[in-house]
Amino acid sequence: MHMSKLLPPSLRPVYFNMRGIPFTKGYKKEFDEEYEKKSRDWMRYQSVPRLNYRIDSEIETEKGLAVKTWEREVEIAEILKEQKYSFEEPGVILNPYGLAPLCAYILFYTEEKCKVRFCVKGKSPEMDITDVVNKEDRWHRVPVYGLYADTENVVSLQLLDKENKQIAEKTIMIKTDPLPESLEDLVRIEKKTAPSAMKLILVAGKSTAYPAAFDEKGDIRYYMLYRPRGYGFFELANGRFIMMERQTLLPTKMIPHSTQMYEIDYLGRVYRTYYVPNGIHHDVCEMTPGGNLLVVSNSQCGHVEDCIAEVNRQNGRIEKFLDLRDVLYTAYRDRTNWIHINSLDYNAKTNDVIFSARNLHSIFSINWKTNKLNWILGETNFWCRTPWAHKLLKVPSNMPWHFQQHSVKIIRRDLDGRRDTQHLIVFDNHWHLRRRISAFDNDDKSYVTIYEINEKAGTAKILKRFAGIKSKITSNGVLKYDQKRLFYMGGYLAYPEENDDRGGMIYEYDYDTGREVNRYNMRHFFFRAFEMTPNLNDLASAMDLQGEPCVGYLQPFEEMQEIIGIPKEMVESAPLECQEERVRLQIEDGNLWVKSRDHLVTQVFLVGEKRCYVKDFRKPEREQDLAAEMEYFLSIPLYNVKKGEYTVVVEFKGKTYNTGKTIRLYGNLQ
C-alpha cells in the first residue's frame, strides 16, 4: 500500500495541476448523473430491434450511400452476366459507383480462368500506372485507376496464365471529364531530384474539397467526388478506409461531430454505414485487419473529444466506451476541450491503445482491457505535480519535446531487431497556443519524429527527427522503410501568406541521411496524406451483400407522457430572420434529418392523435460561437416510433413551429 494511504486525510498530500486546481479522483459532481443517464440510454438503444417500417411522407426521401452502393452492385453483377462481354469487345463502365470519376470497370468473360493486368499509359513512361488482378477467374470485372482527367486515356489489358505469362493483349480508350475547379492547380512541384517512393500520394480533409491523389509530375490521377468531414480518410486493411459524413452531425459544447461514418473503397463502394451515438472525430483505426474499429468520441457531459469507443465491425454495436476522465481523473481537466484526442492506434499483441492528446502535449499508452495507464511520453515538468509523474517515460536530458502533436501511429516494421522495443511515428506540430507551456522553445519548425519506446525499461528516445516548414495543426508522417524514405505531410501551414497563400507542404526525405529528395506544394490545407494503395483483388470481387447496409444506433425519439397540440404558426411564416436560417427536412435510411444552423433547433417533436415523441437537443448548450454559422442535419432514427401518422414540429430559436410535414408509419415490413 502506498504510504500516503496510511496517513489521516488531513495529512495526505494534495496534488494540483498546473493551473492550481486540486487533483481529485472522479468527476465533478454536477456531471455524474447526466453522464450515467446518457451512458445507460445509448447502451439501451443498442438492444432495440431495428424495425423496417414502411414510411410514407411528403418529406424528401433519400437512400444513403451504402444502400445505393448495394443496389448498384446488383446491377453491375447482372450486366456482367447478361451481356457476357468478350475480351475482344469488353464493356467499360466509367465511374461505376458515381464517386470515382478517374476509375473504371472493364467487364468481360473468358473461356479459361486467367489473371488480368492493366496499364494506364502515362504522359511519360515512368508515369504509367500498372496493377494486376492476381486471382484467376472467367467472369472479369477489372478495376482500373490512375486515369487522367479530360483525356482520351490509353489503357492496355493483358491476360495472364498461372505462371504470369501473357496470353493475350488489347488496348482500349477511356475518355474522362475535366477536373472540378477546386482541384485545379492542386499540386506544384517545388523540388524533384529522384523518383518518389510513392507512386500516388493522396491528400484529404480540411479545405481540400475532394480527396485526391497525384503522381510525381503533380497530375491528378484519382479523386473522389464526395466531400467527407474535414478529417478526411482513415486507412483500413484490404485497401479500404473510413470516411466521416459531413452532413449529419451531433451538436456539442464546441464543434459538432459526425454521427455516421462509411467503410468505403477506392471505387467508391460503400460497404456499410455506421451510426455512432456520441459522435466521431479526428481518427478511426482497426484493431485487427477486418476487425472492430476504435473511434475517437465525446463524453457530451461538460467535455468534448475525450473518449474512445470500440465499434463492432459487423453490427455497429458499441462494445466498449472509455471516458478518459476514468483514466486521468481531474488532472488538467480545467476546460471543455481539456484533452483533445486527435489520433490513436492499437497494438494487438499487447492489447494496448496508444493515443495523442494534443491539449496535454502528450502521448499515452493504456491497456484496453483493464484501462490501466501504461506510460506517458510528455514533458517532465508538465506532469511533475500530478499523481501521474511516475508514469512518465525516462528520456535523455537534452531531448527536444513535441508540442500539440498529431497523428501518432505505431510503426509495424521492426526497425532494430529487438523484441523489447516498439517505435512510434509522430507529427510534432511544435505549436502551443491551445495550452501554453513554459517548456516551449519557440522553434520555428515542425517535425516528423520517430520514437523508440522500451516499455520494460520505462525509457524513450528519439531515433530520427525530420524538420519542415511550420504546420500548426493536422499533418502526419509516413515511413517507407523498404525504400528508405520518410514523408513529412505538412497539412496546415502556419503562415500561408509567406508561401504564396498555399495551404500545405509535403517533403520526401532520405531516411538514412535526412537529405530532402522531393518537395510538393499543396494549394489547400489538408488533414492527412498517405500513399494510395488499392487492393485490386478486393476491388475486382463482388461485394458481400449479407447483413445490413446500415448498422449501429443513434438516440431515437422518446415517447412523451402527454399529448401536445400542433402549433398554428408554420415555420415558413416565421419572422424573416428565421426564414433565412430555415429548417429543412429529409428522410434517409429510416432516419429523420432536420437541418438548420448549429444549436438553433433545440427540440423535434412527432405529434400524433394518440401519442407524441420528442428528441431533445437543448443540452449541451453551445459554449463558443465556433460553429454558429455551420448548417447541418440532426439525424433522428424512427425505429422505435409506433405506427401511425405524425406531424413534425420543431422548437426553433426558442419558439415552437409546425413544419407542415407529416410522417406515416405503416407497420413492420418483415
Side-chain angles (χ1 to χ4, degrees), residues 113-238:
K113 287 186 175 182
C114 59
K115 307 173 187 178
V116 184
R117 178 168 58 212
F118 79 83
C119 176
V120 177
K121 298 299 182 180
K123 292 181 179 179
S124 58
E126 63 271 19
M127 293 301 106
D128 289 355
I129 301 292
T130 302
D131 212 334
V132 180
V133 179
N134 281 310
K135 64 170 189 170
E136 295 180 282
D137 210 337
R138 292 188 181 92
W139 297 96
H140 302 278
R141 52 198 304 185
V142 181
V144 173
Y145 65 91
L147 301 172
Y148 289 97
D150 198 18
T151 300
E152 190 85 20
N153 289 269
V154 179
V155 180
S156 172
L157 288 177
Q158 297 97 34
L159 301 185
L160 308 175
D161 64 14
K162 291 181 179 180
E163 286 74 36
N164 293 321
K165 293 181 180 179
Q166 183 174 308
I167 303 170
E169 183 175 14
K170 181 175 180 58
T171 297
I172 61 175
M173 309 298 289
I174 301 179
K175 179 69 173 70
T176 53
D177 292 331
L179 288 173
E181 184 179 347
S182 63
L183 292 181
E184 294 176 359
D185 190 31
L186 179 67
V187 187
R188 293 181 186 174
I189 309 298
E190 292 223 335
K191 185 174 185 177
K192 185 69 177 172
T193 67
S196 176
M198 290 189 185
K199 191 74 173 178
L200 297 174
I201 298 175
L202 190 144
V203 295
K206 284 301 178 184
S207 60
T208 300
Y210 302 115
F214 61 92
D215 64 18
E216 296 182 54
K217 298 288 188 182
D219 289 312
I220 303 298
R221 307 293 293 274
Y222 173 88
Y223 69 96
M224 178 164 284
L225 198 58
Y226 182 85
R227 188 172 187 179
R229 192 78 171 100
Y231 304 114
F233 285 3
F234 304 99
E235 293 180 282
L236 306 176
N238 213 25

Side-chain angles (χ1 to χ4, degrees), residues 24 37 52 144 167 316 328 334 411 422 489 510 569:
T24 59
K37 180 179 183 302
N52 294 317
V144 173
I167 303 170
L328 296 176
D334 53 2
I411 296 174
Q422 65 174 319
M489 309 296 197
D510 181 283
E569 189 167 4

Side-chain angles (χ1 to χ4, degrees), residues 554-574:
L554 302 175
Q555 291 100 336
F557 285 99
E558 293 277 6
E559 188 167 357
M560 299 176 66
Q561 299 298 315
E562 59 179 333
I563 306 295
I564 67 171
I566 299 174
K568 292 182 179 180
E569 189 167 4
M570 309 293 288
V571 70
E572 288 84 355
S573 61

Side-chain angles (χ1 to χ4, degrees), residues 559-560 562-564 606-613 641-646:
E559 188 167 357
M560 299 176 66
E562 59 179 333
I563 306 295
I564 67 171
L606 296 181
V607 182
E609 290 185 2
K610 297 181 179 180
R611 53 182 59 90
C612 295
Y613 294 84
V641 178
K642 296 178 181 177
K643 64 181 180 180
E645 181 172 321
Y646 301 91

Side-chain angles (χ1 to χ4, degrees), residues 366-630:
I366 58 172
N367 184 274
W368 189 239
K369 182 178 180 179
T370 65
N371 300 343
K372 177 185 176 184
L373 178 60
N374 296 322
W375 49 257
I376 302 172
L377 179 58
E379 201 273 328
T380 305
N381 291 326
F382 186 78
W383 291 99
C384 66
R385 300 182 66 193
T386 76
W388 308 120
H390 67 290
K391 293 292 185 179
L392 285 168
L393 294 173
K394 301 179 183 65
V395 302
S397 59
N398 60 345
M399 190 182 86
W401 284 107
H402 47 253
F403 299 98
Q404 287 188 197
Q405 72 291 329
H406 283 72
S407 305
V408 174
K409 295 294 174 180
I410 299 168
I411 296 174
R412 260 72 189 184
R413 178 66 183 259
D414 185 356
L415 300 185
D416 57 12
R418 295 169 54 189
R419 300 179 63 181
D420 55 351
T421 61
Q422 65 174 319
H423 296 89
L424 306 178
I425 186 167
V426 179
F427 194 94
D428 171 17
N429 300 82
H430 226 77
W431 197 256
H432 81 139
L433 291 185
R434 298 297 182 182
R435 187 190 291 272
R436 294 189 179 274
I437 179 171
S438 60
F440 189 67
D441 55 10
N442 294 309
D443 190 333
D444 63 357
K445 299 291 185 182
S446 294
Y447 298 88
V448 173
T449 305
I450 294 179
Y451 287 102
E452 179 184 294
I453 310 292
N454 188 320
E455 190 167 317
K456 186 175 181 180
T459 60
K461 67 178 182 180
I462 292 176
L463 188 66
K464 292 277 187 176
R465 195 171 187 237
F466 300 83
I469 191 171
K470 180 72 75 175
S471 182
K472 63 181 180 180
I473 56 173
T474 68
S475 312
N476 65 301
V478 178
L479 174 62
K480 298 282 291 181
Y481 190 73
D482 288 342
Q483 292 85 358
K484 295 295 185 180
R485 296 289 178 82
L486 187 288
F487 287 81
Y488 172 112
M489 309 296 197
Y492 207 105
L493 299 187
Y495 311 107
E497 66 278 1
E498 297 179 5
N499 199 51
D500 194 23
D501 285 329
R502 307 288 284 182
M505 191 78 75
I506 295 176
Y507 299 89
E508 183 175 358
Y509 294 102
D510 181 283
Y511 178 75
D512 290 331
T513 66
R515 178 179 62 87
E516 181 185 349
V517 179
N518 302 313
R519 190 192 318 158
Y520 308 93
N521 191 324
M522 309 305 297
R523 173 183 171 187
H524 303 295
F525 299 130
F526 60 87
F527 188 75
R528 288 181 190 163
F530 47 87
E531 184 175 19
M532 181 176 170
T533 54
N535 182 324
L536 234 63
N537 284 354
D538 190 47
L539 297 177
S541 302
M543 289 174 58
D544 180 1
L545 301 183
Q546 300 299 314
E548 294 288 336
C550 304
V551 296
Y553 294 87
L554 302 175
Q555 291 100 336
F557 285 99
E558 293 277 6
E559 188 167 357
M560 299 176 66
Q561 299 298 315
E562 59 179 333
I563 306 295
I564 67 171
I566 299 174
K568 292 182 179 180
E569 189 167 4
M570 309 293 288
V571 70
E572 288 84 355
S573 61
L576 181 61
E577 66 272 13
C578 292
Q579 293 181 41
E580 292 175 350
E581 297 165 338
R582 60 196 182 280
V583 174
R584 280 168 283 182
L585 304 179
Q586 183 174 307
I587 293 175
E588 181 173 303
D589 296 338
N591 297 334
L592 174 64
W593 287 15
V594 182
K595 189 171 189 177
S596 72
R597 291 189 186 177
D598 184 63
H599 276 84
L600 293 188
V601 169
T602 45
Q603 293 188 94
V604 181
F605 301 90
L606 296 181
V607 182
E609 290 185 2
K610 297 181 179 180
R611 53 182 59 90
C612 295
Y613 294 84
V614 63
K615 183 68 179 76
D616 195 337
F617 293 100
R618 288 175 294 183
K619 288 186 177 181
E621 296 178 347
R622 189 168 65 204
E623 182 180 276
Q624 300 179 11
D625 290 335
L626 297 172
E629 299 303 314
M630 284 187 65

